[in-house]
Amino acid sequence: MQQSIEQYMQQLGKQARAAAQVLAFASTKTKNNALQAIHDALVAHQSQILAANKIDMEKGQQNSLDAALLDRLELTPKRFEGMLQGLKDVIGLTDPIGEITDLAYRPSGIQLGKMRVPLGVVGMIYESRPNVTLEAASLALKSGNAIILRGGSEALESNKALAQVIQNALKTTELPHEAVQVIETSDRAAVGELITLTEYVDVIIPRGGKGLIQRITNEARIPVIKHLDGNCHVYVEAQADMTKALPIALNAKTHRYGVCNAMETLLVDQAIATTFLPEVAKLYLEKEVELRGCEQTQAILGDAVKAATEDDWHTEYLGPILAVKVVKDMNEAIQHINHYGSHHTDAIITENFSLAQQFLARVDSSSVVINASTRFADGFEYGLGAEIGISTDKIHARGPVGLEGLTSQKWIILGHGEIRE
Amino acid sequence: MQQSIEQYMQQLGKQARAAAQVLAFASTKTKNNALQAIHDALVAHQSQILAANKIDMEKGQQNSLDAALLDRLELTPKRFEGMLQGLKDVIGLTDPIGEITDLAYRPSGIQLGKMRVPLGVVGMIYESRPNVTLEAASLALKSGNAIILRGGSEALESNKALAQVIQNALKTTELPHEAVQVIETSDRAAVGELITLTEYVDVIIPRGGKGLIQRITNEARIPVIKHLDGNCHVYVEAQADMTKALPIALNAKTHRYGVCNAMETLLVDQAIATTFLPEVAKLYLEKEVELRGCEQTQAILGDAVKAATEDDWHTEYLGPILAVKVVKDMNEAIQHINHYGSHHTDAIITENFSLAQQFLARVDSSSVVINASTRFADGFEYGLGAEIGISTDKIHARGPVGLEGLTSQKWIILGHGEIRE
């Protein structure tokens, strides 16, 4: 059995690599036509896909999956509509492939530049949401990559149905249908194989819980673009404009709780703590946000705040809880952020130019924000059109990853017969 | 002992991380002053360093290291001069850090852009050449990174002497001397620790033999920018201009043998094989290059060529041997290159515009060359000023890696109080 999983994954890998070589020089028109064919096939086979999803939902209920997971798993007609719209959006995106930049003559006479090219084969590992299957497949195709998809076992029927529709649609186009492949087994050994297929897979993108990501990071032999967690901060500096600080502090925490770009710790400069904290606390308590503060915060807010422990500074609550800390100055704020944060998104509220400038340079996060909510850190707000994930890595892609994150640049030399002297 | 190596490496890592936080916002002037201080200290302590190198050389001779390795190990006054010049060159390079690009307003009102920042801490693992110690240290400092250096055990005394001079020089500057640290033990366990220091090290750059690189790729838990091998090709297409093809084919093979951008396999279109092969073979035989050909090549060249085996297509000879294959057309050439090559540097010689265009798009190598020698693929020829390695990876940095490869881009948001609606 172990042997056969290995052979199965080798076969998927080999097929993906062969497909990638065709995709790499497919024209924009060919790729858009293929995406349109997938769109039309999805419209035609909506009921089939929703029926498959229903089987997953029923199995999930039998297995007592929790409500949040069932919610993410469910494909409603409205969500299906959203998937189709997402696909149309990807068709509308500018094709990044083939772009040549920095083409200039070198003293030797050669003309040197860079050309944007696909990575090749993407391995995508994610949990229950079946709409990720389509999002990831469409971004991969648009950027000229083949993709091997491994969704959660609880979404297997939905994903198999989606894959079948996608592959059948691709068969009517100029692109190979192996450009999009779904791993059709829930055996966990398949993941272990996928992340070590060094010959056939160029990058692994995991989306899911911390446990999944860490397993993959430890075991992968292929570069991983990973998204760990979002422990985001807002630092309200002494010279903050209160008409900006209050709405931003409220928005960053309460606009949506379960998202990675929500604020989890509020840092307040001691110079304004006694005035700012009571005002902002009132807003949070109206929204029933639980506050956990340092000693100084407790001294100012009294019973309105619980005592924060060391753990609180590390925690991504993803819920209506906020850690609050009073800091001496910006240095302490930056040290706190760089030490406890997850290098995702962190903001300062200040009117002081030089402090803002320093904060930008010194905070080691994928998005650093001045006078705006951390909630802006996502692919759609950044104009990427769609996002395949948010990277908390520094290598290759940082922050929201769109089409460009699925590409690399190779060097090109246009010569006239030059040889090296 | 194992325990103490672990503690030692943890300490180096912790110190490097602290140093990196200072380096990240050091001004260009501060960094250049530090590099100048290192330059002056090296001049003042040249004899001390050369004496340490002499100890390594004597030990190497006692241990019967081979001549090539001893040659790379040796620091002559002339090579020392070269090291100093390299350092001056790095001082002269434009500082990549802090560069802000693509700053533009989004519909939400925020101003979004990208800022170039250091990676943080670089772990550099290399073999015998002590001059790499200075090259790597100076590139890391200039790009605002701390670096932990692990040279070959045979160069330990040289590297310790260099590290001492560098660190003492740094102590006279505004930068922390832990910005540059050399691992001062030849215990191989130190490498195992370095490549798993996920908390303290952001990227591993190995330079050395295939065995070293593969061990590191397998065991590292940190992203690796690796340079595997250079199995480079020149494809002489049917419409090649012979006045370009002959000198390029000769230069790519014989300009220098032991380098990764030398050609290892010559592909010749069957349409011109009977005229081109005898001419080019004559040039190679004058240089005493051994030819190993496919059946068609043998039929044309007779005794002047040995039979090539499957192994030959895979081999990076790094010497005066060349594999030669006649191909049916460009498709076969590209398939051969993408299959047998190492995705390093590959060239086509042709006057046909459309074929050149296709070759550029379809060859999956870090440098793709039209009508020029593969030998141009290096950091100096590309104008990077200096190179820390040549990446055969697709992720993050591809081909020659200079200062920019030691940086990443973070997103920055300049707001005016915007919140997410």
Side-chain angles (χ1 to χ4, degrees):
Chain A
M1 182 61 191
Q2 184 64 22
Q3 174 69 359
S4 99
I5 285 275
E6 190 188 330
Q7 287 172 341
Y8 172 61
M9 292 305 300
Q10 287 278 334
Q11 191 200 336
L12 292 193
K14 212 168 173 172
Q15 289 170 178
R17 174 65 73 213
Q21 277 167 6
V22 178
L23 277 159
F25 68 105
S27 69
T28 307
K29 195 174 163 190
T30 300
K31 292 185 285 188
N32 283 343
N33 285 346
L35 291 169
Q36 187 63 48
I38 292 171
H39 175 275
D40 299 345
L42 287 169
V43 171
H45 295 88
Q46 171 166 357
S47 58
Q48 177 188 331
I49 292 161
L50 295 187
N53 182 251
K54 212 164 181 183
I55 299 175
D56 284 332
M57 287 296 291
E58 280 162 11
K59 232 185 269 169
Q61 277 147 352
Q62 281 160 23
N63 295 336
S64 315
L65 295 186
D66 72 49
L69 211 153
L70 282 174
D71 176 56
R72 289 200 293 274
L73 178 57
E74 188 173 18
L75 272 184
T76 61
K78 198 182 155 208
R79 284 186 183 171
F80 200 87
E81 199 49 54
M83 276 171 50
L84 293 174
Q85 184 54 50
L87 185 50
K88 279 192 225 158
D89 291 345
V90 172
I91 295 174
L93 293 178
T94 303
D95 186 348
I97 299 305
E99 181 201 35
I100 294 177
T101 52
D102 306 320
L103 199 62
Y105 285 99
R106 297 289 312 147
S108 60
I110 63 170
Q111 215 177 351
L112 177 74
K114 289 177 178 180
M115 179 188 264
R116 195 165 287 285
V117 291
L119 290 176
V121 177
V122 177
M124 179 94 190
I125 300 167
Y126 51 106
E127 292 183 332
S128 53
R129 294 195 305 137
N131 56 330
V132 173
T133 306
L134 187 64
E135 270 174 36
S138 58
L139 287 170
L141 286 181
K142 182 80 186 211
S143 54
N145 292 283
I147 191 164
I148 300 175
L149 294 152
R150 162 66 181 208
S153 56
E154 62 287 345
L156 189 60
E157 295 306 321
S158 314
N159 287 334
K160 275 159 75 172
L162 280 166
Q164 206 189 349
V165 171
I166 293 172
Q167 289 201 336
N168 284 337
L170 284 173
K171 282 177 188 163
T172 70
T173 73
E174 291 171 54
L175 295 184
H177 67 274
E178 295 94 346
V180 178
Q181 298 180 102
V182 163
I183 298 178
E184 296 196 350
T185 163
S186 52
D187 191 326
R188 292 191 63 186
V191 172
E193 292 296 327
L194 179 62
I195 63 182
T196 53
L197 279 178
T198 48
E199 197 181 341
Y200 299 125
V201 181
D202 297 292
V203 66
I204 295 288
I205 303 179
R207 260 166 79 165
K210 228 170 159 169
L212 174 77
I213 311 285
Q214 246 145 8
R215 180 197 160 195
I216 288 168
T217 309
N218 284 336
E219 296 177 15
R221 295 292 163 273
I222 297 166
V224 176
I225 298 178
K226 67 169 178 292
H227 174 192
L228 264 174
D229 48 1
N231 183 10
C232 304
H233 301 73
V234 173
Y235 166 49
V236 181
E237 197 273 321
Q239 294 172 55
D241 173 349
M242 286 304 133
T243 67
K244 292 171 185 155
L246 287 167
I248 289 171
L250 189 69
N251 184 262
K253 182 69 232 178
T254 69
H255 181 253
R256 255 180 92 182
Y257 293 114
V259 289
C260 59
N261 56 18
M263 166 176 60
E264 306 292 6
T265 297
L266 175 69
L267 301 170
V268 179
D269 201 281
Q270 63 178 10
I272 52 157
T274 52
T275 54
F276 177 71
L277 274 177
E279 282 192 64
V280 80
K282 215 176 90 188
L283 299 175
Y284 287 132
L285 295 177
E286 276 168 17
K287 297 265 187 184
E288 299 187 342
V289 174
E290 176 185 326
L291 301 179
R292 301 185 186 174
C294 67
E295 279 181 25
Q296 279 181 269
T297 305
Q298 292 175 70
I300 295 167
L301 295 182
D303 290 344
V305 60
K306 295 186 184 175
T309 66
E310 174 75 8
D311 269 356
D312 284 297
W313 313 127
H314 286 288
T315 303
E316 183 185 19
Y317 299 112
L318 295 171
I321 308 173
L322 179 69
V324 184
K325 187 180 162 70
V326 175
V327 294
K328 205 174 70 209
D329 55 17
M330 189 175 73
N331 276 328
E332 193 185 336
I334 292 175
Q335 274 161 22
H336 184 99
I337 292 168
N338 285 343
H339 179 73
Y340 291 102
S342 64
H343 310 289
H344 190 296
T345 300
D346 298 287
I348 187 173
I349 317 301
T350 188
E351 296 302 307
N352 183 298
F353 181 86
S354 298
L355 290 178
Q357 208 176 20
Q358 263 198 59
F359 190 86
L360 272 189
R362 290 176 57 191
V363 170
D364 185 23
S365 300
S366 71
S367 291
V368 185
V369 181
I370 302 172
N371 292 341
S373 171
T374 54
R375 287 282 294 124
F376 285 107
D378 85 37
F380 291 94
E381 288 294 334
Y382 283 8
L384 304 182
E387 96 191 1
I388 197 148
I390 295 185
S391 164
T392 52
D393 285 323
K394 293 187 189 174
I395 300 292
H396 188 68
R398 209 170 171 182
V401 180
L403 283 180
E404 199 174 291
L406 298 178
T407 68
S408 77
Q409 287 180 301
K410 65 184 180 192
W411 297 91
I412 59 171
I413 294 178
L414 311 184
H416 322 76
E418 284 83 3
I419 58 171
R420 182 106 175 249
E421 306 291 349
Chain B
M1 183 59 192
Q2 185 64 21
Q3 173 68 359
S4 98
I5 286 274
E6 191 188 331
Q7 287 172 341
Y8 172 62
M9 292 306 300
Q10 286 277 335
Q11 191 200 334
L12 291 194
K14 212 168 174 172
Q15 288 170 178
R17 175 63 74 211
Q21 278 168 6
V22 178
L23 277 159
F25 67 105
S27 70
T28 306
K29 196 175 163 188
T30 301
K31 293 185 284 189
N32 282 343
N33 285 347
L35 291 169
Q36 187 63 49
I38 292 171
H39 175 274
D40 298 346
L42 288 169
V43 171
H45 295 88
Q46 171 166 357
S47 58
Q48 179 188 329
I49 292 161
L50 295 187
N53 182 251
K54 214 165 180 183
I55 298 174
D56 283 332
M57 288 295 290
E58 281 161 10
K59 232 185 267 170
Q61 277 148 353
Q62 281 160 25
N63 295 336
S64 315
L65 295 186
D66 72 50
L69 211 154
L70 282 174
D71 177 57
R72 290 201 292 274
L73 178 57
E74 189 172 16
L75 271 185
T76 61
K78 199 184 154 206
R79 284 187 181 170
F80 200 87
E81 199 49 54
M83 276 170 51
L84 293 173
Q85 185 54 50
L87 185 50
K88 279 192 225 160
D89 291 344
V90 172
I91 295 174
L93 293 178
T94 302
D95 186 348
I97 299 305
E99 181 199 35
I100 294 177
T101 51
D102 305 321
L103 198 61
Y105 286 100
R106 297 289 312 148
S108 60
I110 62 170
Q111 214 176 353
L112 176 74
K114 290 177 179 181
M115 180 188 263
R116 195 165 286 284
V117 291
L119 290 177
V121 177
V122 177
M124 178 94 189
I125 300 167
Y126 50 107
E127 292 183 330
S128 53
R129 294 195 303 139
N131 56 330
V132 173
T133 306
L134 186 65
E135 270 174 37
S138 58
L139 287 170
L141 286 180
K142 182 80 187 209
S143 54
N145 291 284
I147 191 164
I148 300 176
L149 294 151
R150 161 68 181 207
S153 56
E154 62 286 346
L156 188 60
E157 294 306 320
S158 314
N159 286 335
K160 277 160 75 172
L162 280 165
Q164 206 189 348
V165 171
I166 292 171
Q167 291 202 333
N168 284 338
L170 285 174
K171 283 177 189 164
T172 70
T173 74
E174 291 170 54
L175 295 184
H177 67 275
E178 293 94 346
V180 178
Q181 298 179 102
V182 163
I183 298 178
E184 296 196 348
T185 163
S186 53
D187 192 324
R188 292 190 65 185
V191 172
E193 291 296 328
L194 178 63
I195 63 181
T196 52
L197 279 178
T198 48
E199 197 181 342
Y200 299 125
V201 181
D202 296 291
V203 64
I204 295 288
I205 303 179
R207 260 166 78 164
K210 225 169 161 171
L212 173 76
I213 310 286
Q214 247 145 8
R215 180 196 159 195
I216 288 169
T217 308
N218 284 336
E219 296 177 15
R221 295 290 165 271
I222 298 165
V224 176
I225 298 178
K226 67 170 177 292
H227 174 189
L228 263 175
D229 49 1
N231 183 10
C232 303
H233 301 74
V234 173
Y235 165 48
V236 181
E237 196 273 322
Q239 293 172 54
D241 173 351
M242 287 304 134
T243 68
K244 294 171 184 154
L246 287 167
I248 290 171
L250 190 68
N251 184 262
K253 182 70 233 179
T254 69
H255 181 252
R256 256 181 90 184
Y257 293 113
V259 289
C260 59
N261 55 17
M263 166 177 59
E264 306 294 6
T265 296
L266 175 69
L267 301 170
V268 180
D269 200 281
Q270 64 178 10
I272 51 157
T274 52
T275 53
F276 177 71
L277 274 177
E279 282 191 66
V280 78
K282 215 176 91 189
L283 300 175
Y284 289 131
L285 296 177
E286 275 168 18
K287 297 267 188 184
E288 299 187 341
V289 173
E290 179 186 323
L291 301 178
R292 301 186 185 173
C294 67
E295 279 182 24
Q296 278 182 271
T297 306
Q298 291 174 69
I300 296 167
L301 294 181
D303 290 345
V305 59
K306 294 185 184 174
T309 67
E310 175 75 8
D311 269 356
D312 283 297
W313 313 127
H314 286 288
T315 303
E316 183 186 18
Y317 299 113
L318 295 171
I321 307 174
L322 179 70
V324 184
K325 187 177 164 69
V326 174
V327 293
K328 206 175 68 207
D329 56 17
M330 190 176 73
N331 276 328
E332 192 185 337
I334 292 175
Q335 273 162 22
H336 184 100
I337 292 168
N338 285 342
H339 178 75
Y340 292 102
S342 63
H343 310 289
H344 189 296
T345 300
D346 298 287
I348 186 173
I349 316 301
T350 188
E351 295 302 307
N352 183 298
F353 180 85
S354 298
L355 290 179
Q357 207 176 19
Q358 265 199 58
F359 190 87
L360 272 189
R362 290 177 56 191
V363 171
D364 184 23
S365 300
S366 71
S367 292
V368 185
V369 182
I370 301 173
N371 292 341
S373 172
T374 54
R375 288 280 294 122
F376 284 107
D378 85 38
F380 292 94
E381 289 294 334
Y382 282 9
L384 304 181
E387 95 191 3
I388 198 149
I390 295 186
S391 165
T392 51
D393 285 325
K394 291 187 193 175
I395 299 292
H396 187 68
R398 209 170 172 182
V401 180
L403 283 181
E404 200 174 289
L406 298 178
T407 68
S408 76
Q409 287 181 301
K410 67 185 179 192
W411 297 92
I412 59 171
I413 293 178
L414 311 183
H416 321 76
E418 284 82 2
I419 59 171
R420 182 105 175 249
E421 306 294 348

